[in-house]
Amino acid sequence: MPNTNIDELLAASINSGGLSQEQIAQILHFKIFGNRSGFLHLQGLPIGHIPATPTSREALAKPDDASEMCLLQATALLGQAIGYPQESNGAIINNFFPHQAHSKAASSDSYDTELDLHTENAFHAVLPDYLLLLCLRQDPLGEAITYVTSIDAMLEHLSNDDVAYFFNQKYNFLSDYSATSKNCRLDINKHQSVLYGDPDSPYFRFDPQFMVAPAPEAQAMLNHLNNIAWAVKQPVKLSTGDLLVIDNRKTAHARSPFTALLDGSDRWIQRTFAITGQHYYTEMLGKNQRVYDLVAEL
Ligand SMILES: [Fe+2]
């Protein structure tokens, strides 16, 4: 990654990120019209030469920035690329690969633990509208599966009463952000409904491991929703050069456990986040930024 200035890299990627006209059209079509599954799976991105997968952050190095360029080009088509201080120290491009020390952590650096269904940063007022996962290298045994479940697919299994319930019932969404550690459970007094927006085509935020129900009946309804979410999930296996674009306002995603060999052949994913409401956030927060600290309310 020779070019570390993100604005320069972003500008260069817009000019010459390497996406084909067809790939650009598919991304724009997904942005404008969406789809029932809530994700777009593209193949054959020009990711350049990929060295051995590192096994520590300190060893992270790439001879070129082709993968970063095409990932940023795709991100720019969807919105503004942003970061969060708690995710890779605010880096706009996050690199994930197995670390021995993090094998069982509920984080993207884990590998032998399943990551449960979640909408990315569901507790955050500035949550990503899209997340993009670019696969630099598949796991050596081909076990890793990303699951995406969408509210549009779930709606067929929900009654009108269920939909009304999840528009009205508030759950306490806990934050896992802290200055000192990941995967804590912080109460930031973020009480919000699972469904929001247009009742005919709702938005969806869902993170059952980090949602506290106010009563047993609300927990039972959450379990009911979780069963439907898993029943309609779509599995995606990412290979080298694959890009997965996820609509974070319509879906939750999960990841299966997989085997890591820690020998340079392991799974390597680059991730970005895109927001579409930058002007609104700037107006409400009085600051134009690319890296967003925790915002509980706008
Ligand atoms: Fe995630």
Side-chain angles (χ1 to χ4, degrees), residues 154-168:
M154 293 169 67
L155 280 179
E156 292 166 20
H157 302 268
L158 292 168
S159 68
N160 290 341
D161 285 350
D162 288 342
V163 171
Y165 183 89
F166 288 112
F167 258 95
N168 289 307

Side-chain angles (χ1 to χ4, degrees), residues 24-76:
I24 291 170
Q26 286 178 294
I27 293 168
L28 288 175
H29 194 279
F30 180 66
K31 178 186 181 183
I32 302 298
F33 298 105
N35 64 27
R36 184 175 177 277
S37 64
F39 69 85
L40 177 67
H41 183 184
L42 299 178
Q43 297 175 306
L45 271 77
I47 58 172
H49 175 68
I50 305 301
T53 304
T55 53
S56 70
R57 295 258 164 245
E58 299 69 40
L60 177 59
K62 286 178 70 244
D64 64 53
D65 47 24
S67 68
E68 290 83 359
M69 296 262 289
C70 64
L71 180 56
L72 283 176
Q73 186 183 23
T75 308

Side-chain angles (χ1 to χ4, degrees), residues 189-201:
N189 201 25
K190 184 73 179 181
H191 299 268
Q192 57 186 0
S193 58
V194 172
L195 300 183
Y196 62 108
D198 180 351
D200 292 332
S201 180

Side-chain angles (χ1 to χ4, degrees), residues 108 115-116 118-121 131 133 253-254 271 273:
S108 306
L115 293 183
D116 202 358
H118 60 282
T119 300
E120 203 72 27
N121 286 359
L131 56 130
L133 302 175
H253 59 279
R271 179 186 70 183
F273 300 122

